[in-house]
Amino acid sequence: MLNSFTVASLCFVSDTLYFLCVSEICRCLTCVCVFSGSKACVRIQIKGEKAPELLLELQDDDRTRLFLTQVKSAQRQVASKLTKPKAMEPLAPTPQRGPGPIPPQRAAKTPSAVGVGENSANTFSALESSLNDSTSTNHNTTDPAHMLADFGFEEKFNNTQRVEEKKNKQNRMVASREPPPIPPLPPRKASVPPSNPLPPTPIPKDKPTAVQARGNSAVPSTKSDSFRSGYDGVDKPASLCESPTTKTMPSSPSGQREFLIKHCLGKKEKEYVDIKHFSFFVGTWNVNGQSPDSSLHPWLCCDPDPPDVYAIGFQELDLSTEAFFYLDSSKEHLWIDAVERTLHPKTTYRRIRTIRLVGMMLVVYAKKLHRKHIRDVAAEHVGTGIMGKMGNKGGVAVRFVFHNTSFCFVNSHLAAHVEDYERRNQDYRDICARMTFHLLEQPPLNIVKHDVVIWLGDLNYRLSMSDASEVKQLIKENALKKLQEYDQLTHQRKHKRAFTDFIEGDITFVPTYKYDPKTDRWDSSGKCRVPAWCDRILWRGSSIEQLKYRSHMELKTSDHKPVSSLFKIGVKVADEQRRKKVFEEIVRAMDRMENDFLPSVSLSNINFTFPDVKFRQLQKERFLIKNDGQVPCHFAFIPKLSDSQYCKPWLRAEPSDGFLEPNETLEMYLEVYVSKDSVTLLNCGEDTICDILVLHLDRGKDYFITISGNYLPSCFGTSLETLCRMKKPIREIPIEKLCDLGEDTFMEKEKSKVTFLMADGASSDDIPLKIPKEVWVLVNHLYKNSCDQEDLFQTPGLQEELQSIIDCLDTSIPDSLPGCNHSVAEALLIFLEALPEPVLCYELYQRCLDCSHDSRLCKQLISQLPRAHRNVFRYLMAFLRELLKHSTNNNLTASLVATLFASLLIRPPPNLMSRQTSHDRQKAIDFILGFLMARDEE
Amino acid sequence: MAKKTYDLLFKLLLIGDSGVGKTCVLFRFSDDAFNTTFISTIGIDFKIKTVELQGKKIKLQIWDTAGQERFHTITTSYYRGAMGIMLVYDITNAKSFENISKWLRNIDEHANEDVERMLLGNKCDMEDKRVVLKTKGEQIAREHGIRFFETSAKANINIEKAFLTLAEDILKKTPVKEPNSENVDISSGGGVTSWKSKCCS
């Protein structure tokens, strides 16, 4: 279960993170997880274009199955994202959503396509939270002893603990078939502190307490290291299931950036590092289960100058069954104490890390002054004993980065017995394959991924000579060269069977095995072992010079003699000044790239003028929008802050949003059309042909498009009162006057009319017209010409004729109108429909419905209408009754006329429009019908 | 040794009359370049630039606005959410300076209350055409308690300094984040979603 994060993060990492790859437009990675099950475990194979192929094994239990379900569902989601058209997905290293100032009501219009990264990040967090839920329940089972303590360097290395947790989560990773990926590395940062912060590792009272490194203030217990010894194969799955989960959030964008920077810095390393030399003391000793009984001074302190780093390996530290089965060893502390007593006295050292697996122990120290240059410390162990698992044979390793050079020290104890060199080769290969370090924010690292690898230990290679006395004779003659011809390790290396690319210095010391304990005498036991160079130190990497390679005969504690090597190693040391410069260049380049990859378009025109806009007359302007950026872009017109629509009601952009590939051009149209809904405000001057459209690019800038023009007012959409006060065609009346005319509410009009007409001065007649002249012209024309017109009001007019009728009414007081009867009839209908206040005023709408059953009440109601409305109503009714007299010719019926005119004359107020029922409509029709059936009165 | 950095995203806004050089100021800062041809900004544009302040990598997302009068109503809607506003006038254009108080009022009305403001008198390389004395700029800045620089995008005078100072002032106001809470990271891409939720809520 706990590997879930690793696996999950790998899935998502591949999907979301690489898109930032330097200067290359990246492809979305596919991540394939192959699940296969067997009785005991479930194998998960992860492949990615850039991720290493990984094979994980999980125990087949409930939690695993839950995890698999989650991974599979996540996988499906990723797959569904990947099938989306790529064109819709920004390739640029740009933010996911339009950044910055909240553009006017931008949020209102969510783009249909969202970046893949965003989606999968969401998916991930969903997955993550569910995972956390399930893991948080079992964190109580965590044994503090499982947590690896880190040694010293609290603040520097306090993340190692998290690394360990993470590592524990990960199942044993069988050797990658391919080398780990080259950076950019998938960020696997823990972006949120663990939900249950780890308690400091407690030091159990009944256990040996921590060994204090000299001068080191706080060294946590080595307990956890001890715990790790023993059954390698058993130990790991246990910790795997129990260690607490650190929340990992691999896809935080700043994490991506961080990694890209790191990657670029790595690539440009040469520009800012200098090679500086440091001395490394490497020692190995098989102590044969003994406790230290003499000073280690002759071994560890034999050089005049203190080395910068000590790496000291022991084998057979503890041969007790206790160490073997209970993973615990008191010897560890004895030897560490002994070592720390004898580190070079001329300087102070800090312990960097200790790791032990049964009898194998590796401890690394560095000069105090170097501690701040050492980071990414990790330790691992691999057991290769019985069944390829037990920890009596195998290796332990510590890795770290010193300045800019990575180091890996491996201490191994390989298979014994003269004839078993092939087993030793196998052990070596197993250690290489299985030794994997887990660091935060980095893919797993194996041994060969380090700049410098130093391999020490009781490698157990013997001499291919069976006669011990012959060997001893050659040693006595100091014929070491001759003897080395029989050395199995040299032989195996030559035949590329093991340690192929390692280097070993000339051996100038006598074999270090096997002596009678406490003496320098060769083994005198019954077995009478043939002497051999079991204890060796090899290296690989550049800039490494071996200064000393020697044994230390003075130490007689064991049946082995300790061996040591002094190296002078060239370490890449960054020049802060130059590094900063390179760093800044990288950041600059990334900024530049980000700016270059912002979406951008060019518009062929951004100022549009629509001259002489008229009612119901469409005007179109064409322009081109071209994606002149480097990434596909989504554009949309967005509403300005206070608006709900992106433009005024008389304007439309076609299309109002869309996608453009780089270099793609699209034709756009702006259409101005004044309909009955927008005509009134334009007529009275409250609105003008003037607007600014905001064309927004998703994740990018906004463009302003300016619309201007002039509007020619129309009698259509002008109130009956206003029209009654106009003695001249509307176009001849100055716009300011039109505003004044429209201002009065119908209740006040009677009072104001006198003033108006006086002020107008255009007419000597100060009485407003009884009905608008336009109504009269239209009705009179129909009355004169179309009473017998077949299908009157049932045949649509012609648009062009309608336009000239409207023009004609707006500009003149014609005696007759152009166009056919049907066009004039429709013009009348449009006129009535466009009236801002219907003939039957909104205010009286409800009463009108209520009294529709009673013709007397209806008439009463009409008499209460404002004058112009009342007159127009009566005038129209009279006209319609006249028309119905000709119904044999014009095919009109009372109910048809009533239905048509009821919908125009009796309109529900806008706020009630949606609540109008068919019953209401019928009442309105009845209302009109009552008047149509009445006898002529006026 | 790479130190851990916590990216922050600061959103800055450039406002001021048309032609005072807002786009040039931005272009100088982001691309270290200058273009003499005047192309009026019709819309809202932005550039990003990462700066390092007090060991923190800070991503500045700088929005350039249209200065033309007819767009004022629209551009004010972009003030909301800006953490810093640079108000630019042209020292060779008295009108642009007179309008400063109008712009300041705009900021009061439309920007976040805690927005960091700064006044820039641009084109200070054109000393022979100067009509606004430096002391005038200093005075109005003092009256409103904001910083003031005379800048020249053309001669690259004080541009970087102005931006860094503004960013620093914003940084001072930014609450200190827990060193371990890496989720303070704000999208390097500067998605409005992320910073909206973190900075303007």
Side-chain angles (χ1 to χ4, degrees):
Chain A
M1 176 61 212
L2 293 167
N3 333 25
S4 52
F5 278 138
T6 320
V7 179
S9 42
L10 281 166
C11 298
F12 289 99
V13 155
S14 56
D15 178 45
T16 59
L17 295 178
Y18 288 113
F19 81 100
L20 263 172
C21 271
V22 212
S23 74
E24 289 145 46
I25 295 183
C26 300
R27 310 158 294 274
C28 277
L29 287 190
T30 50
C31 181
V32 185
C33 297
V34 181
F35 301 95
S36 58
S38 69
K39 271 181 196 166
C41 69
V42 179
R43 288 196 183 80
I44 304 170
Q45 201 180 347
I46 299 172
K47 292 179 200 161
E49 220 169 295
K50 299 210 176 165
E53 190 172 309
L54 297 171
L55 189 65
L56 298 114
E57 285 183 17
L58 294 171
Q59 285 195 313
D60 189 15
D61 58 15
D62 287 346
R63 285 175 296 187
T64 308
R65 278 190 291 275
L66 171 64
F67 158 62
L68 287 180
T69 338
Q70 284 162 335
V71 170
K72 276 179 176 165
S73 88
Q75 201 183 1
R76 274 196 301 276
Q77 289 182 48
V78 170
S80 69
K81 301 289 180 301
L82 288 174
T83 54
K84 275 191 177 178
K86 287 246 169 86
M88 313 261 281
E89 289 151 10
L91 301 172
T94 41
Q96 267 129 23
R97 182 70 182 94
I102 298 117
Q105 308 212 348
R106 177 168 306 186
K109 224 177 163 100
T110 316
S112 52
V114 190
V116 163
E118 194 177 26
N119 279 345
S120 41
N122 293 342
T123 315
F124 181 83
S125 44
L127 176 64
E128 179 197 47
S129 61
S130 70
L131 286 173
N132 277 321
D133 289 342
S134 54
T135 51
S136 60
T137 53
N138 63 14
H139 76 260
N140 290 335
T141 63
T142 304
D143 182 348
H146 270 92
M147 294 161 211
L148 268 203
D150 46 75
F151 291 87
F153 311 178
E154 318 65 62
E155 80 278 15
K156 195 60 75 183
F157 298 126
N158 61 2
N159 69 342
T160 51
Q161 206 167 38
R162 275 148 70 195
V163 175
E164 288 301 331
E165 290 158 34
K166 200 168 68 97
K167 178 189 66 60
N168 287 342
K169 273 181 282 165
Q170 202 142 1
N171 216 327
R172 190 178 68 239
M173 208 158 286
V174 176
S176 315
R177 287 185 208 152
E178 288 167 53
I182 311 295
L185 308 170
R188 304 164 87 204
K189 67 165 45 169
S191 53
V192 184
S195 49
N196 50 325
L198 300 174
T201 312
I203 302 167
K205 278 174 192 157
D206 56 338
K207 301 286 179 187
T209 46
V211 174
Q212 294 286 119
R214 244 190 300 160
N216 199 348
S217 50
V219 182
S221 168
T222 58
K223 177 81 188 87
S224 47
D225 264 6
S226 322
F227 193 89
R228 301 175 54 79
S229 7
Y231 302 95
D232 180 52
V234 180
D235 170 42
K236 279 200 165 182
S239 61
L240 164 90
C241 296
E242 289 174 14
S243 76
T245 302
T246 312
K247 268 196 192 178
T248 46
M249 187 67 165
S251 54
S252 99
S254 64
Q256 297 164 13
R257 211 176 150 91
E258 202 69 41
F259 267 88
L260 200 54
I261 291 174
K262 225 174 185 175
H263 168 61
C264 295
L265 266 178
K267 263 170 66 175
K268 295 187 164 201
E269 193 182 59
K270 281 200 178 75
E271 292 177 27
Y272 60 88
V273 298
D274 300 310
I275 300 297
K276 289 190 179 154
H277 291 94
F278 294 90
S279 58
F280 285 69
F281 179 98
V282 180
T284 174
W285 194 10
N286 181 323
V287 295
N288 194 27
Q290 304 300 307
S291 298
D293 57 2
S294 63
S295 166
L296 305 181
H297 199 272
W299 176 36
L300 301 180
C301 213
C302 58
D303 298 307
D305 295 318
D308 293 288
V309 175
Y310 273 107
I312 301 156
F314 294 94
Q315 305 85 34
E316 297 193 10
L317 192 79
D318 198 333
L319 296 174
S320 66
T321 30
E322 192 188 54
F324 198 81
F325 289 108
Y326 302 107
L327 325 169
D328 193 17
S329 172
S330 51
K331 291 283 176 64
E332 175 174 338
H333 313 295
L334 293 176
W335 281 104
I336 283 178
D337 283 344
V339 166
E340 289 178 358
R341 275 196 301 272
T342 24
L343 292 176
H344 212 290
K346 284 189 190 166
T347 188
T348 320
Y349 289 93
R350 287 278 182 273
R351 194 196 303 170
I352 291 172
R353 194 64 180 257
T354 306
I355 182 152
R356 185 175 66 81
L357 174 66
V358 190
M360 291 171 279
M361 181 170 83
L362 177 63
V363 54
V364 177
Y365 299 88
K367 277 184 183 172
K368 187 181 169 187
L369 63 102
H370 295 323
R371 68 180 251 189
K372 62 175 179 290
H373 300 295
I374 292 178
R375 63 197 148 93
D376 295 346
V377 181
E380 257 306 336
H381 63 280
V382 167
T384 60
I386 300 160
M387 305 182 301
K389 300 279 184 199
M390 298 292 254
N392 58 331
K393 292 290 186 293
V396 290
V398 171
R399 66 87 58 188
F400 56 86
V401 177
F402 180 39
H403 287 284
N404 271 38
T405 299
S406 59
F407 285 86
C408 181
F409 292 96
V410 185
N411 170 26
S412 70
H413 191 187
L414 307 184
H417 305 299
V418 180
E419 65 282 3
D420 280 345
Y421 57 84
E422 196 48 62
R423 288 262 298 278
R424 291 187 270 283
N425 295 348
Q426 187 56 48
D427 284 354
Y428 160 78
R429 286 194 292 265
D430 279 357
I431 293 169
C432 286
R434 286 164 47 198
M435 188 76 78
T436 317
F437 302 97
H438 303 269
L439 291 156
L440 282 175
E441 305 174 0
Q442 285 181 39
L445 275 169
N446 57 18
I447 293 171
V448 295
K449 277 285 152 190
H450 293 84
D451 297 329
V452 173
V453 182
I454 294 180
W455 198 305
L456 53 124
D458 179 359
L459 309 185
N460 248 331
Y461 286 97
R462 311 294 174 88
L463 294 174
S464 317
M465 292 171 85
S466 49
D467 188 348
S469 57
E470 190 187 341
V471 172
K472 288 171 189 168
Q473 185 56 37
L474 283 170
I475 293 169
K476 204 174 270 174
E477 291 163 12
N478 204 24
L480 298 183
K481 280 273 175 279
K482 168 105 176 120
L483 210 52
Q484 275 161 28
E485 288 169 18
Y486 300 93
D487 175 55
Q488 288 176 343
L489 178 57
T490 313
H491 196 259
Q492 295 303 308
R493 284 179 54 220
K494 204 153 82 188
H495 290 87
K496 302 200 183 300
R497 304 286 298 156
F499 294 93
T500 308
D501 40 12
F502 279 82
I503 300 168
E504 188 184 21
D506 283 343
I507 300 174
T508 55
F509 49 90
V510 300
T512 52
Y513 176 81
K514 176 180 182 174
Y515 296 88
D516 284 339
K518 319 287 179 205
T519 71
D520 289 337
R521 281 198 316 273
W522 295 112
D523 176 33
S524 60
S525 71
K527 288 180 185 169
C528 191
R529 304 276 193 200
V530 179
W533 284 290
C534 287
D535 309 285
R536 312 286 277 265
I537 296 169
L538 297 90
W539 73 90
R540 53 173 282 167
S542 55
S543 231
I544 303 170
E545 188 188 343
Q546 191 176 43
L547 303 176
K548 299 269 173 57
Y549 192 26
R550 63 215 161 177
S551 68
H552 301 270
M553 299 301 283
E554 303 88 324
L555 291 170
K556 298 175 179 152
T557 316
S558 165
D559 56 351
H560 287 251
K561 297 293 179 191
V563 169
S564 73
S565 173
L566 190 66
F567 291 102
K568 187 172 109 184
I569 299 177
V571 173
K572 293 176 281 184
V573 179
D575 178 280
E576 225 12 74
Q577 222 53 25
R578 271 146 59 209
R579 194 198 73 87
K580 201 170 175 198
K581 202 175 143 246
V582 171
F583 174 81
E584 272 165 10
E585 280 168 14
I586 292 167
V587 170
R588 278 299 82 79
M590 282 171 63
D591 283 354
R592 202 159 41 239
M593 190 171 71
E594 201 170 316
N595 282 328
D596 287 349
F597 277 82
L598 290 174
S600 168
V601 297
S602 59
L603 306 173
S604 62
N605 189 6
I606 51 165
N607 289 305
F608 295 89
T609 310
F610 293 90
D612 298 340
V613 175
K614 294 177 191 167
F615 177 61
R616 279 177 67 92
Q617 201 165 13
L618 177 69
Q619 288 198 36
K620 252 185 178 183
E621 285 282 345
R622 172 181 171 273
F623 70 101
L624 297 174
I625 174 169
K626 181 183 181 184
N627 184 344
D628 62 359
Q630 302 186 41
V631 290
C633 81
H634 171 243
F635 67 87
F637 288 98
I638 56 167
K640 293 173 285 290
L641 193 61
S642 51
D643 302 338
S644 60
Q645 300 295 318
Y646 68 83
C647 63
K648 299 261 185 81
W650 41 264
L651 182 63
R652 206 161 69 101
E654 187 58 43
S656 66
D657 74 330
F659 266 98
L660 283 174
E661 297 284 340
N663 286 317
E664 193 184 343
T665 303
L666 192 67
E667 251 185 357
M668 306 274 292
Y669 290 94
L670 289 174
E671 298 173 357
V672 169
Y673 182 79
V674 178
S675 70
K676 67 178 172 71
D677 300 317
S678 47
V679 68
T680 304
L681 288 181
L682 285 166
N683 274 345
C684 67
E686 275 179 41
D687 193 5
T688 52
I689 299 296
C690 172
D691 199 4
I692 296 172
L693 300 187
V694 181
L695 180 69
H696 172 63
L697 302 188
D698 210 9
R699 297 172 301 104
K701 43 187 161 186
D702 291 356
Y703 299 81
F704 297 161
I705 294 173
T706 309
I707 314 294
S708 57
N710 65 299
Y711 173 73
L712 300 177
S714 172
C715 57
F716 286 68
T718 301
S719 73
L720 294 174
E721 287 80 14
T722 309
L723 290 173
C724 282
R725 279 175 254 157
M726 283 181 201
K727 306 289 163 63
K728 292 193 289 183
I730 191 164
R731 295 274 169 79
E732 289 173 26
I733 296 172
I735 188 82
E736 319 79 69
K737 204 65 81 182
L738 276 176
C739 299
D740 294 343
L741 286 173
E743 247 169 41
D744 304 325
T745 65
F746 70 86
M747 296 307 277
E748 289 170 327
K749 71 182 188 330
E750 296 292 335
K751 273 184 273 172
S752 64
K753 72 183 176 199
V754 181
T755 344
F756 156 67
L757 288 169
M758 301 290 278
D760 184 35
S763 169
S764 53
D765 184 0
D766 58 353
I767 304 166
L769 301 168
K770 281 191 168 180
I771 59 167
K773 56 198 178 306
E774 292 80 5
V775 176
W776 181 80
V777 170
L778 284 164
V779 171
N780 192 47
H781 180 101
L782 290 170
Y783 179 68
K784 278 187 190 161
N785 303 303
S786 60
C787 283
D788 293 311
Q789 175 68 50
E790 193 184 358
D791 291 339
L792 191 69
F793 290 121
Q794 295 167 73
T795 310
L798 298 167
Q799 285 310 308
E800 279 180 23
E801 288 182 2
L802 274 170
Q803 201 54 58
S804 37
I805 293 167
I806 293 169
D807 268 349
C808 188
L809 287 170
D810 286 340
T811 53
S812 62
I813 308 175
D815 290 333
S816 70
L817 288 163
C820 67
N821 289 333
H822 294 304
S823 298
V824 177
E826 188 172 350
L828 175 64
L829 301 182
I830 291 169
F831 177 89
L832 295 172
E833 189 190 27
L835 281 176
E837 181 87 28
V839 177
L840 227 136
C841 300
Y842 286 132
E843 209 180 52
L844 297 173
Y845 171 74
Q846 196 54 50
R847 278 180 58 200
C848 161
L849 298 189
D850 295 345
C851 69
S852 61
H853 60 280
D854 186 330
S855 60
R856 194 180 50 88
L857 287 176
C858 290
K859 279 180 193 151
Q860 223 168 49
L861 188 97
I862 293 303
S863 64
Q864 288 167 15
L865 283 174
R867 183 176 163 271
H869 290 254
R870 191 171 65 227
N871 290 342
V872 167
F873 186 83
R874 286 174 177 161
Y875 183 58
L876 282 172
M877 289 305 120
F879 164 63
L880 294 174
R881 282 193 297 270
E882 194 59 34
L883 275 183
L884 286 172
K885 290 174 186 167
H886 300 261
S887 57
T888 44
N889 293 328
N890 57 30
N891 296 338
L892 284 171
T893 63
S895 81
L896 197 147
V897 170
T899 308
L900 180 61
F901 279 85
S903 69
L904 301 170
L905 303 179
I906 309 172
R907 302 202 301 259
N911 57 332
L912 296 177
M913 189 72 87
S914 56
R915 300 217 302 256
Q916 193 191 20
T917 64
S918 58
H919 194 56
D920 292 344
R921 270 191 289 275
Q922 190 54 53
K923 282 181 178 170
I925 293 166
D926 290 347
F927 186 93
I928 299 293
L929 214 48
F931 286 93
L932 293 180
M933 306 312 268
R935 281 183 295 121
D936 288 352
E937 292 158 24
E938 291 176 71
Chain B
M1 178 165 172
K3 50 180 164 287
K4 188 79 213 119
T5 47
Y6 301 93
D7 283 355
L8 294 167
L9 177 76
F10 289 172
K11 199 194 77 179
L12 311 180
L13 195 67
L14 283 160
I15 60 170
D17 276 12
S18 179
V20 298
K22 296 180 293 296
T23 305
C24 288
V25 165
L26 175 55
F27 197 48
R28 168 63 74 189
F29 182 60
S30 70
D31 292 42
D32 195 23
F34 182 77
N35 197 335
T36 46
T37 48
F38 174 66
I39 303 166
S40 188
T41 306
I42 308 293
I44 305 285
D45 198 357
F46 73 90
K47 296 233 180 235
I48 66 113
K49 176 155 175 163
T50 310
V51 297
E52 203 163 336
L53 283 177
Q54 300 169 13
K56 289 190 176 70
K57 279 208 297 287
I58 294 166
K59 187 158 154 185
L60 303 180
Q61 189 181 66
I62 308 148
W63 292 76
D64 181 21
T65 60
Q68 288 179 36
E69 181 111 32
R70 60 193 169 120
F71 298 128
H72 285 183
T73 334
I74 302 182
T75 51
T76 50
S77 62
Y78 290 82
Y79 291 16
R80 191 158 53 104
M83 298 153 90
I85 294 182
M86 276 183 171
L87 172 43
V88 189
Y89 68 88
D90 173 0
I91 64 149
T92 69
N93 177 343
K95 184 79 190 147
S96 75
F97 182 72
E98 286 161 24
N99 280 334
I100 287 300
S101 36
K102 191 195 76 186
W103 286 109
L104 284 167
R105 265 200 314 279
N106 266 350
I107 295 175
D108 286 345
E109 280 171 34
H110 300 283
N112 291 357
E113 208 166 289
D114 61 345
V115 69
E116 198 61 48
R117 297 165 300 166
M118 177 177 273
L119 183 65
L120 299 185
N122 195 34
K123 307 194 188 178
C124 72
D125 57 296
M126 295 161 78
E127 199 53 58
D128 51 333
K129 292 186 182 160
R130 177 191 285 275
V131 294
V132 182
L133 292 176
K134 189 175 181 183
T135 49
K136 285 271 196 181
E138 286 166 345
Q139 187 192 336
I140 195 163
R142 200 166 42 244
E143 282 165 12
H144 289 88
I146 61 179
R147 288 189 196 269
F148 171 70
F149 289 102
E150 281 205 343
T151 59
S152 165
K154 189 177 177 184
N156 198 7
I157 300 167
N158 277 344
I159 298 291
E160 178 119 352
K161 191 174 176 188
F163 277 101
L164 291 181
T165 310
L166 185 59
E168 218 162 282
D169 288 345
I170 297 169
L171 184 62
K172 275 180 208 152
K173 284 185 179 176
T174 310
V176 181
K177 314 284 185 194
E178 293 252 332
N180 268 340
S181 61
E182 293 173 48
N183 58 337
V184 303
D185 290 8
I186 291 166
S187 156
S188 63
V192 72
T193 40
S194 57
W195 93 250
K196 229 166 94 180
S197 58
K198 288 183 176 100
C199 311
C200 351
S201 53

